[in-house]
Amino acid sequence: MNLSNNTILLTGGATGIGLALAQRLRQAGSEVIVCGRRADRLREAQDQVPGLHVYACDLALANDRDELARRVQADFPALNVLINNAGIQNRVQLAQADTSPAGWERQRQEIIINVEAPIHLTTLLLPHLQQQPGAAIVNVTSGLAFAPAAFVPIYSATKAALHSFTLSLRHQLAPTGVQVLEIVPPAVNTDLGGPGLHTFGVPVEAFADAVLARLAAGEQEVGYESSEQIRLVGRAELDARFKQMNNR
Ligand SMILES: NC(=O)c1ccc[n+]([C@@H]2O[C@H](COP(=O)([O-])OP(=O)(O)OC[C@H]3O[C@@H](n4cnc5c(N)ncnc54)[C@H](OP(=O)(O)O)[C@@H]3O)[C@@H](O)[C@H]2O)c1
């Protein structure tokens, strides 16, 4: 993937991994449009990244996704890259889960934001992307797509689903010229799941530098450190990693 001269819609690009990618893609000479729910974080991102374009939207809402796709295509007709990066992570003890409708709705949000939204946005933008030179769709999954962390069971399942979808999408789009790429992060030091929960993760700057360099060099699926290992292993190692990660 060429990092310059693109027009990129990057979901969840006001913080964490998305912001680090946005900074680098902007520096490389691409137009970058980011979206998120928190207006204050979007403003702060604009202060940090000169020329960044922002839209406030809630990707959990199908209407917001429709409106975002419509506005971005109208405002940026050269749009040629979609990066599905927005995501949430919840710690869930399934045996003690809140069985009320409100409790289920909270759990369902993770499935909607992490799986439904990127699939829907991809579907909405594909007719446009197929007409564009250098088009690409980049999905941000997780090392947990390959071996789940049991304390985030729904999250891990959503990332496995997005990884699976990415493989099918790449196969289907091969004749169209739209590249389908995947970034597989390990634990990265961001506010994912809440401030302070990922301080054990790798630094976001080094991670972003490394994965973008590899995408620029032509790789389709890139991990970093532990997620680079896990995305390439066989079943016996996956089971061993599951036991190690979940202390059994
Ligand atoms: N950090 C890690 O350890 C790690 C590991 C593997 C994979 N990942 C993946 O990397 C991606 C980025 O996460 P991060 O670590 O950078 O955490 P983050 O800083 O919390 O970023 C997530 C972004 O998604 C946005 N977002 C969440 N729900 C949204 C919604 N309904 N509508 C619009 N935007 C929404 C958030 O903005 P608002 O809250 O303002 O909407 C935020 O900017 C996620 O897909 C995550 O699963 C992270």
Side-chain angles (χ1 to χ4, degrees), residues 11-18 35-38 41 57-60 85-88 113-114 140-143 155 159 185-193 198:
T11 66
T15 66
I17 291 171
C35 68
R37 292 167 298 188
R38 290 169 292 176
R41 302 312 292 262
C57 75
D58 183 352
L59 292 171
N85 165 76
I88 63 168
I113 294 168
N114 293 4
V140 178
T141 62
S142 169
Y155 175 84
K159 292 299 182 177
V188 180
N189 187 1
T190 69
D191 284 350
L192 184 71
H198 278 90

